[in-house]
């Protein structure tokens, strides 16, 4: 096993996790929807401005709830990027819908609104923009297309907590949005997530779906005198231990994000010369108010990327590629279809490299990564592997 001197990602600990866990344990209230869950949900509602936040066991579970309450049915089509995590599509396949994979923009790696517009059919029921790396999608364009198509917008904001666009937070644009608190995300509980609900007419059903199809949430609020099975649903509540850990993280979310932004900015500055040499392309500035979830670069070729990953690994530096496009995955081919060219998706998935980024990375760490990267890229070029980057 590789011993990483600079791992790709590392969980930030705030110091209050144990204290909150102890409080939860001593309260003996360990099932879901206790006081820690409520405090997390209130924090999320305030931070995102969403109408209602409900904690879930994962971002995946949040997407599954969203697909149910959006009324997705067999035969429906859901437009989403191919360049995303499988859960973005799987939640809708579970409802019998067909994911329609479209291309991404070459600069933001976010869903291309032009491709979305071209993919709309009378069967289109939902559009799922994924805020890649925490950079918000062009939500004005997507909203306009959705309105014309009579489709619901469900944001996959799994990577985007505390990102903003035009001062509007991620998760406040769509009727529904999903957040993830997986270990790899900026703010984590190991596993965890939340569904954010902006269309108030969907809150009641979301509560029921999340509570195994029962109206137990209403019962606990004293709105009904017994609870019973009223709809489809599943076990979509995290326990209080998860919420206790998460609350400690949420309370420091701004600090954690700022620490990541500093790493992001240092990479961006130090990698400018390599971009000028033409051996890599940097991401755009954090101009869209992204949360520094990912610092990714484009390398000249797939072969360069393999070489660089191996070289960095030799130095104990964890740099990783990202998605296998869903349209070329076994399940994506079986359950979905494509619309238009997926040229950018295919290209980016072969050349994109993510550099280590976490709260607590020192300036020296960032310097070492960029130096090792430069050495590896120049060596690759010396071997005649690298070509000049095509203009994007
Ligand atoms: C992490 C992630 C998910 C899944 O979240 P989990 O909490 O791991 O279930 C879904 N979509 C995107 C874009 C993600 O990055």
């Amino acid at each position: 096993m590789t011993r990483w001197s600079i791992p790709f990602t590392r969980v930030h600990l705030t110091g209050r996790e144990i204290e909150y866990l102890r409080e939860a344990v001593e309260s003996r209230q360990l099932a879901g929807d206790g006081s820690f869950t409520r405090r997390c949900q209130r924090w999320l509602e305030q931070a995102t401005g969403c109408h209602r936040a409900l904690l879930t066991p994962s971002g995946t579970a949040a997407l599954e709830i969203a697909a149910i309450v959006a009324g997705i049915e067999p035969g429906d089509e859901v437009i989403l990027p191919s360049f995303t995590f499988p859960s973005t599509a799987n939640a809708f396949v579970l409802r019998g819908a067909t994911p329609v994979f479209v291309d991404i923009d070459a600069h933001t790696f976010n869903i291309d609104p032009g491709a979305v517009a071209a993919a709309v059919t009378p069967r289109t029921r939902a559009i799922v923009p994924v805020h890649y790396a925490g950079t918000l999608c062009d939500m004005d364009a997507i909203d306009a297309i959705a309105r014309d198509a009579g489709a619901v917008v469900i944001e996959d904001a799994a990577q985007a907590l505390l990102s903003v666009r035009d001062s509007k937070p991620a998760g406040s644009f769509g009727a529904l949005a999903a957040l993830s608190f997986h270990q790899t995300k900026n703010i984590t509980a190991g596993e965890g997530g939340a569904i954010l609900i902006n269309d108030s007419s969907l809150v009641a059903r979301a509560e029921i779906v999340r509570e195994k199809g029962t109206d137990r949430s209403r019962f606990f609020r004293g709105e009904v005198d017994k609870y019973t099975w009223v709809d489809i649903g599943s076990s979509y509540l995290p326990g209080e231990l998860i919420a206790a850990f998460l609350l400690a993280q949420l309370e420091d979310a701004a600090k954690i994000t700022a620490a990541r932004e500093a790493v992001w900015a240092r990479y961006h500055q130090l990698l400018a010369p390599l971009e000028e040499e033409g051996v890599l392309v940097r991401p755009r500035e954090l101009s869209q108010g992204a949360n520094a979830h990912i610092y990714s670069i484009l390398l000249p070729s797939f072969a360069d990327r393999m070489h660089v990953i191996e070289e960095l690994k030799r130095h104990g530096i964890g740099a990783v590629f990202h998605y296998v496009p869903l349209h070329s995955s076994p399940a994506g081919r079986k359950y979905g279809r494509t619309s238009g060219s997926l040229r950018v998706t295919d290209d980016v998935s072969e050349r994109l490299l993510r550099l280590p980024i976490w709260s607590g990375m020192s300036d020296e760490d960032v310097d070492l990564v960029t130096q090792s990267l430069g050495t590896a890229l120049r060596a690759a070029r010396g071997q005649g592997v690298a070509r000049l980057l095509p203009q994007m």
Side-chain angles (χ1 to χ4, degrees):
M1 257 188 58
T2 308
R3 269 190 57 112
W4 301 112
S5 50
I6 305 178
F8 170 65
T9 180
R10 184 160 169 264
V11 170
H12 172 105
L13 293 176
T14 69
R16 270 194 316 284
E17 286 87 354
I18 297 286
E19 178 191 328
Y20 286 173
L21 282 166
R22 178 175 292 120
E23 207 182 302
V25 168
E26 287 174 354
S27 78
R28 290 178 159 75
Q29 295 299 313
L30 301 180
D33 276 349
S35 66
F36 281 105
T37 299
R38 282 196 296 276
R39 286 162 75 184
C40 288
Q41 291 177 172
R42 214 174 310 128
W43 190 97
L44 289 170
E45 286 159 7
Q46 271 160 14
T48 65
C50 76
H51 178 74
R52 189 75 206 280
L54 299 172
L55 288 197
T56 58
S58 63
T60 300
L63 287 163
E64 289 176 18
I65 298 172
I68 295 172
V69 302
I72 306 298
E73 290 178 355
D76 289 344
E77 292 179 353
V78 177
I79 301 171
L80 55 116
S82 172
F83 191 68
T84 183
F85 190 75
S87 297
T88 316
N90 194 62
F92 301 96
V93 171
L94 284 171
R95 307 259 58 81
T98 302
V100 176
F101 302 116
V102 300
D103 213 355
I104 48 172
D105 173 81
H107 298 288
T108 61
F109 313 142
N110 276 339
I111 197 165
D112 175 356
V116 174
V120 169
T121 76
R123 289 175 176 271
T124 304
R125 282 295 299 277
I127 301 172
V128 189
V130 177
H131 306 310
Y132 183 74
T135 301
L136 268 89
C137 297
D138 184 347
M139 295 309 294
D140 287 345
I142 287 161
D143 271 346
I145 298 163
R147 232 177 297 118
D148 284 350
V152 58
V153 174
I154 300 170
E155 295 173 70
D156 183 337
Q159 302 175 9
L161 179 62
L162 293 192
S163 292
V164 296
R165 182 180 176 114
D166 302 330
S167 328
K168 236 173 105 65
S172 67
F173 292 89
L176 298 155
L179 296 179
S180 169
F181 303 114
H182 183 262
Q183 180 170 323
T184 51
K185 305 303 200 273
N186 291 15
I187 305 301
T188 186
E191 303 279 352
I195 180 166
L196 309 182
I197 306 159
N198 294 304
D199 178 342
S200 56
S201 72
L202 302 178
V203 171
R205 186 151 191 231
E207 284 183 347
I208 288 166
V209 169
R210 178 169 167 269
E211 265 284 20
K212 301 102 187 165
T214 74
D215 54 357
R216 183 151 69 174
S217 299
R218 256 184 274 164
F219 173 70
F220 281 151
R221 285 197 298 265
E223 293 165 19
V224 286
D225 58 8
K226 58 183 183 323
Y227 76 87
T228 184
W229 184 24
V230 294
D231 200 342
I232 62 166
S234 192
S235 182
Y236 287 131
L237 273 77
E240 279 286 281
L241 294 179
I242 290 283
F245 190 100
L246 181 62
L247 183 65
Q249 295 262 315
L250 290 175
E251 288 178 347
D252 269 6
K255 230 167 73 184
I256 295 169
T257 306
R260 298 180 73 106
E261 280 168 0
V263 173
W264 201 104
R266 190 169 183 86
Y267 273 133
H268 208 61
Q269 188 197 343
L270 293 176
L271 292 176
L274 285 171
E275 187 171 58
E276 269 161 38
E277 281 178 44
V279 291
L280 59 79
V281 173
R282 296 178 301 163
R284 285 200 170 166
E285 301 278 349
L286 280 169
S287 57
Q288 297 289 7
N291 62 0
H293 177 56
I294 291 172
Y295 192 92
S296 67
I297 53 174
L298 283 181
L299 298 182
S301 71
F302 179 76
D304 290 318
R305 187 176 72 178
M306 295 318 289
H307 175 78
V308 166
I309 288 174
E310 280 309 309
E311 275 305 295
L312 292 178
K313 190 171 166 187
R314 262 185 351 103
H315 291 90
I317 297 169
V320 295
F321 51 85
H322 216 171
Y323 306 120
V324 173
L326 298 188
H327 75 275
S328 48
S329 70
R333 291 154 79 116
K334 181 170 177 189
Y335 296 113
R337 67 172 177 81
T338 60
S339 169
S341 156
L342 278 290
R343 188 185 62 83
V344 180
T345 300
D346 287 331
D347 179 41
V348 165
S349 67
E350 295 204 329
R351 299 194 290 122
L352 180 136
L353 183 70
R354 292 178 291 159
L355 302 180
I357 187 165
W358 30 274
S359 163
M361 248 183 107
S362 66
D363 286 354
E364 292 71 33
D365 289 338
V366 178
D367 296 355
L368 185 63
V369 174
T370 52
Q371 277 158 21
S372 306
L373 175 67
T375 307
L377 269 170
R378 290 193 187 100
R381 182 183 251 189
Q383 289 163 8
V385 180
R387 296 183 307 270
L388 270 186
L389 285 166
Q391 284 307 114
M392 294 283 277

